[in-house]
Amino acid sequence: MIELSIQQILDITGGRASQSLDPAGVISSVTTDSREVGAGALFVAKPGEFSDGHAFIDQALQAGAIAALAERETLTEQRQPHPAIIVPDAVEAMGLIAAHIVKFLKERNDAVVVGITGSAGKTTTKDLLAALLSTSGPTVSPIGSYNGEVGVPLTIFSATEETKYLVVEMGATGIGHLTYLTGMVKPQLGVVLCVGSAHAGEFGGVENIEKAKGELVEALPANGTALLNVEDPRVARMASRTEAEVQYFGAANQAPANAAVWASEADTDANGRLSLVLNFPDGSTHRITSGLLGRHHVTNITAAASAAYVLGLAPAQIAATLDGLQAGSRWRMERIERADGVSIINDAYNANPDSMRAALITLAELGLPNEQGVARRTWAVLGSMLELGPDSVLEHDKLGRLAVRMNIKKLVVVGREAKPAYNSAVLEGSWGEEAHYVEDLDEARQLLNEQLEPGDIVLFKSSNGAGLRFLGDEIAAEVKEGRKA
């Protein structure tokens, strides 16, 4: 982190110093988790859904924190005030500190901020772009999916004085959220991947999702660049909402108007690995084989390549970096091969109807007969897609029918919210042992340990809150270590 004095933070946030606070102290890190506190830290005591950070100030100070960023004064066991910067809203104060750091980096290094948003693919695209830009200069990007009002500042806090590129993943669950984030980091380059039905319940419909995602391009300066997915009509028409230059990425048989990087000849091999030709605006072409599974990653690859090209990286360098590059974050089409020949595909960090469909397509392709005519048995272990609102039953119903129509051999639906997927699979013609419904992860684990056979391919896919990613890890590890649960 770029070090800041307590006095600087007081000035940036407009906060009030508690009686025991030393304004001369220097902050070298910021965290919202008292377990991550080290010497020189500022502990952000934000109220949470399940716990209040103010209850952990003592623990943070004992671990080496210099002060807390708090919304009220708290006391030690000796009834003395904790050293703290008191602000009306700790999360908003984090944003003010992050904005100060971004401004400093732009003035010092001409640092470039890239904002990435979309209903799916943000984290993978962020990881790809960070890998690309790291070949050109010091780059900061989020850990995992740090993409909200807390995650974006935490990403910025990891920057150093040498940072040249800031890759910022931007998530939203309502209108105005991206406006807040863009106001904090002021991106020069904005990437919009897709508008799907993720969080439709919270947004109040897909139209509002489109409106919210477009806030990124609205925030771009006139000398900035908006990179839009030409294959998504809702994204492509965001061109009218920005003063920035607009370029398009995606897949096409010929270059679209105002093309950035576009893909042709995209295909997957028997192991699900994606190969494609990258076509660059300078007329050069480069064939790569990605380390990512599934043809839906064409969007993520061309988006990252386009951003890197706009920022001055050479096409050959971009292609060489992307060739063979795997996902940088866990639980995104993560493939693990067990010693007994069972393949695990753990894609259960997030889920919505679009990403579910893409994962099932990839699973179905992996189960097709190989050159020797041998087909692998496919399992789809599916949990709930959360935050779909009134569309939840319908979208889960569609999911079960889709699994049957794609000839997925075994369907395991986990949890009551996802049960419509099981019901629809049965109605679609999945009988007997082909479709299973289980109430929880324990039942799913027992079923899989009893029935998995060498050669099977198992997809785990659900929203984060359903927890299937942990079950996927357990199933992958149990036989890898030579044992069963």
Side-chain angles (χ1 to χ4, degrees):
M1 178 181 172
I2 297 169
E3 291 187 345
L4 296 170
S5 70
I6 292 290
Q7 186 59 58
Q8 284 179 296
I9 294 175
L10 285 166
D11 294 340
I12 292 166
T13 63
R16 172 176 63 86
S18 68
Q19 289 182 352
S20 57
L21 186 69
D22 178 8
V26 175
I27 297 298
S28 57
S29 65
V30 180
T31 182
T32 60
D33 189 337
S34 61
R35 296 166 296 183
E36 297 177 355
V37 167
L42 177 68
F43 172 62
V44 181
K46 71 178 185 69
E49 183 178 356
F50 302 108
S51 63
D52 187 345
H54 293 79
F56 299 93
I57 291 178
D58 262 325
Q59 179 180 330
L61 293 171
Q62 291 170 11
I66 291 178
L69 184 64
E71 295 181 4
R72 64 179 184 272
E73 191 169 88
T74 56
L75 304 176
T76 67
E77 291 182 358
Q78 293 75 37
R79 310 304 295 170
Q80 297 299 312
H82 286 126
I85 300 165
I86 311 299
V87 294
D89 188 309
V91 173
E92 288 185 5
M94 289 177 67
L96 293 172
I97 300 169
H100 173 87
I101 291 173
V102 171
K103 183 174 183 291
F104 170 83
L105 287 171
K106 287 183 176 181
E107 292 173 350
R108 176 185 171 89
N109 299 336
D110 290 325
V112 177
V113 179
V114 182
I116 301 173
T117 194
S119 297
K122 296 185 295 296
T123 299
T124 298
T125 302
K126 170 265 298 182
D127 289 338
L128 295 174
L129 181 57
L132 287 165
L133 296 179
S134 294
T135 66
S136 178
T139 300
V140 165
S141 64
I143 299 170
S145 291
Y146 276 14
N147 61 25
E149 59 185 1
V150 173
V152 169
L154 289 175
T155 297
I156 301 304
F157 296 153
S158 65
T160 69
E161 292 190 353
E162 288 71 42
T163 297
K164 174 66 176 177
Y165 301 106
L166 291 163
V167 181
V168 181
E169 180 179 334
M170 295 184 172
T173 55
I175 292 173
H177 290 185
L178 291 191
T179 297
Y180 173 76
L181 297 177
T182 56
M184 183 192 306
V185 301
K186 294 181 169 52
Q188 296 102 305
L189 181 62
V191 181
V192 186
L193 300 168
C194 59
V195 173
S197 52
H199 306 293
E202 291 180 301
F203 277 96
V206 177
E207 292 75 16
N208 284 338
I209 297 175
E210 178 183 346
K211 183 177 181 181
K213 299 300 183 186
E215 291 170 6
L216 172 56
V217 299
E218 289 177 347
L220 296 172
N223 63 349
T225 304
L227 290 170
L228 305 179
N229 181 4
V230 72
E231 298 176 86
D232 187 323
R234 292 184 181 274
V235 174
R237 67 192 184 202
M238 290 179 189
S240 64
R241 296 171 59 181
T242 184
E243 297 179 356
E245 178 188 4
V246 175
Q247 296 183 31
Y248 298 98
F249 61 87
N253 292 324
Q254 59 183 14
N258 300 324
V261 179
W262 54 283
S264 59
E265 301 178 38
D267 200 5
T268 55
D269 65 15
N271 293 314
R273 293 177 301 183
L274 173 66
S275 65
L276 67 158
V277 174
L278 293 175
N279 302 266
F280 288 86
D282 66 355
S284 65
T285 61
H286 298 267
R287 176 173 289 281
I288 68 167
T289 298
S290 174
L292 303 173
L293 296 180
R295 63 180 68 240
H296 58 288
H297 284 301
V298 167
T299 298
N300 306 326
I301 291 169
T302 54
S306 296
Y309 183 84
V310 168
L311 294 176
L313 273 68
Q317 180 182 2
I318 293 171
T321 302
L322 290 175
D323 192 49
L325 188 62
Q326 298 180 351
S329 298
R330 292 217 56 208
W331 304 304
R332 275 84 172 179
M333 295 299 284
E334 180 179 16
R335 184 165 179 167
I336 301 167
E337 300 294 337
R338 291 195 340 190
D340 62 354
V342 172
S343 299
I344 306 295
I345 301 174
N346 196 334
D347 193 35
Y349 189 84
N350 210 342
N352 57 61
D354 295 323
S355 65
M356 278 283 196
R357 187 177 303 109
L360 286 175
I361 289 172
T362 300
L363 177 64
E365 291 177 343
L366 288 171
L368 293 174
N370 59 20
E371 293 179 354
Q372 290 74 40
V374 178
R376 301 184 68 179
R377 187 170 65 162
T378 51
W379 290 73
V381 183
L382 307 180
S384 57
M385 298 179 286
L386 302 176
E387 300 165 349
L388 295 179
D391 293 332
S392 179
V393 172
L394 175 61
E395 293 296 347
H396 285 94
D397 178 278
K398 291 180 181 177
L399 182 63
R401 298 179 190 278
L402 183 63
V404 176
R405 292 171 186 176
M406 288 187 175
N407 200 29
I408 304 301
K409 302 303 182 183
K410 290 277 194 175
L411 174 65
V412 181
V413 176
V414 185
R416 294 185 181 182
E417 189 164 358
K419 191 174 183 180
Y422 167 76
N423 296 337
S424 64
V426 172
L427 291 172
E428 191 69 22
S430 186
W431 301 100
E433 292 297 309
E434 294 176 348
H436 300 266
Y437 169 72
V438 294
E439 289 281 346
D440 54 32
L441 299 180
D442 288 338
E443 288 187 40
R445 182 185 301 105
Q446 181 177 350
L447 174 67
L448 292 169
N449 278 323
E450 289 174 352
Q451 297 195 20
L452 284 181
E453 298 175 357
D456 287 353
I457 306 176
V458 192
L459 168 71
F460 292 86
K461 182 72 174 168
S462 72
S463 287
N464 199 334
L468 257 65
R469 65 192 188 282
F470 301 124
L471 176 61
D473 284 347
E474 292 173 14
I475 295 298
E478 283 162 354
V479 175
K480 278 180 70 176
E481 296 172 0
R483 59 182 173 84
K484 281 198 174 187

